[in-house]
């Protein structure tokens, strides 16, 4: 005789675990099954079962991890990533109606109208966090504060140090579908990031273009310091007459 209660409870636990696995793929962009097992405190076998289910449902896919150093024997490790369908389980802020509305706006008002809309949207997104971000002087800490703000707005953002700068990574984009057709959303967002961080930034990748995450390079030297250094080099002897 089947007892409905425990079976239903087991399915709920499975569902929460699978959602947790998918959430980790969302936040990290690409990750091995072993890393997921370690992060979630699960057995590798259990994690692989959930990953296989996500792949079978079209919500995740795999690719070989790049080899480092000398090639060893055996197959390379597999990296797991979410598909667009997998990202959709976390929701999108806009749908086909938004795309249709922007198409109409582009037809009736042109490029500038779309850009004005993008500027207003990004301002609404970041203005509540502007004071908290700009109050920080250190470029790396300021980038981290921006990542925290973006995470609160649903972008699952993080930062990591790379050489002479920081990489700001947004592992989820609620408007990826719209930005794929209207890149002005990404362009304006990048310009606002530069304004908030006080330095020129460079967008390296976007989810809208099919990348695993939206990645922005943030140099450690703010524009003001770079300008002062350039001026000092251009004026010999501290500006004294020869």
């Amino acid at each position: 005789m089947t007892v409905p209660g425990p079976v239903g409870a087991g399915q709920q636990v499975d569902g929460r675990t699978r959602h947790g696995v998918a959430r980790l793929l969302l936040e990290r962009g690409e990750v091995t099954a072993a890393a997921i097992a370690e992060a979630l405190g699960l057995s590798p076998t259990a994690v692989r079962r959930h990953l296989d289910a996500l792949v079978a449902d079209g919500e995740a896919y795999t690719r070989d991890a790049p080899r480092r150093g000398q090639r060893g024997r055996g197959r390379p490790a597999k990296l797991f990533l979410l598909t667009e369908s997998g990202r959709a389980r976390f929701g999108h802020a806009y749908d086909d109606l938004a795309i249709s509305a922007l198409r109409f706006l582009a037809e009736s008002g042109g490029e500038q109208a779309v850009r004005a809309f993008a500027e207003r949207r990004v301002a609404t997104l970041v203005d509540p966090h502007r004071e908290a971000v700009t109050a920080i002087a250190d470029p790396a800490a300021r980038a981290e504060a921006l990542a925290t703000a973006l995470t609160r707005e649903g972008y699952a953002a993080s930062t990591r140090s790379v050489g002479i700068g920081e990489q700001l990574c947004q592992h989820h984009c609620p408007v990826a579908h719209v930005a794929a057709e209207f890149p002005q959303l990404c362009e304006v967002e990048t310009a606002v990031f530069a304004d908030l961080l006080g330095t020129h930034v460079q967008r390296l990748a976007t989810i809208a273009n099919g990348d695993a995450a939206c990645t922005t390079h943030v140099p450690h030297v703010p524009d003001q310091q770079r300008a002062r250094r350039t001026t000092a080099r251009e004026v010999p002897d501290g500006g004294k007459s020869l």
Side-chain angles (χ1 to χ4, degrees), residues 62-206:
T62 65
R63 68 183 181 201
D64 291 340
R67 293 182 182 273
R68 293 180 174 83
Q70 291 185 334
R71 291 196 171 192
R73 293 183 178 180
R75 296 180 179 179
K78 292 286 187 183
L79 293 173
F80 289 83
L81 303 91
L82 286 183
T83 63
E84 191 58 39
S85 175
R87 293 179 187 278
R89 71 158 53 216
F90 297 96
H92 289 282
Y94 296 90
D95 55 11
D96 291 341
L97 179 62
I99 294 178
S100 297
L102 279 176
R103 285 174 181 167
F104 176 80
L105 188 63
E107 291 171 3
S108 59
E111 158 77 15
Q112 190 54 43
V114 175
R115 187 165 293 275
F117 170 82
E119 289 171 349
R120 177 173 293 186
R121 177 192 168 274
V122 175
T124 301
L125 178 75
V126 303
D127 279 356
H129 311 282
R130 180 176 293 276
E131 185 176 347
V133 174
T134 57
I136 301 172
D138 178 66
R142 183 177 286 195
E144 185 176 356
L146 176 57
T148 299
L150 290 170
T151 296
R152 290 174 180 166
E153 298 294 338
Y155 286 80
S158 63
T159 60
R160 62 177 181 177
S161 295
V162 286
I164 58 172
E166 300 290 314
Q167 277 193 355
L168 173 65
C169 298
Q170 297 157 254
H171 303 288
H172 180 52
C173 177
V175 296
H177 284 121
V178 183
E181 184 169 342
F182 295 96
Q184 297 95 327
L185 295 177
C186 297
E187 293 165 4
V188 169
E189 183 180 86
T190 303
V192 170
F193 287 177
D195 176 55
L196 281 173
L197 299 173
T199 187
H200 172 75
V201 302
Q202 183 180 5
R203 185 59 65 87
L204 304 178
T206 63

Side-chain angles (χ1 to χ4, degrees), residues 137-140 163-166 194 197-201 217-230 233:
D138 178 66
I164 58 172
E166 300 290 314
L197 299 173
T199 187
H200 172 75
V201 302
H217 177 72
V218 182
H220 282 159
V221 180
D223 284 341
Q224 299 93 325
Q225 293 183 23
R226 189 182 298 106
R228 286 198 294 269
R229 292 180 184 179
T230 302
R233 286 196 297 268

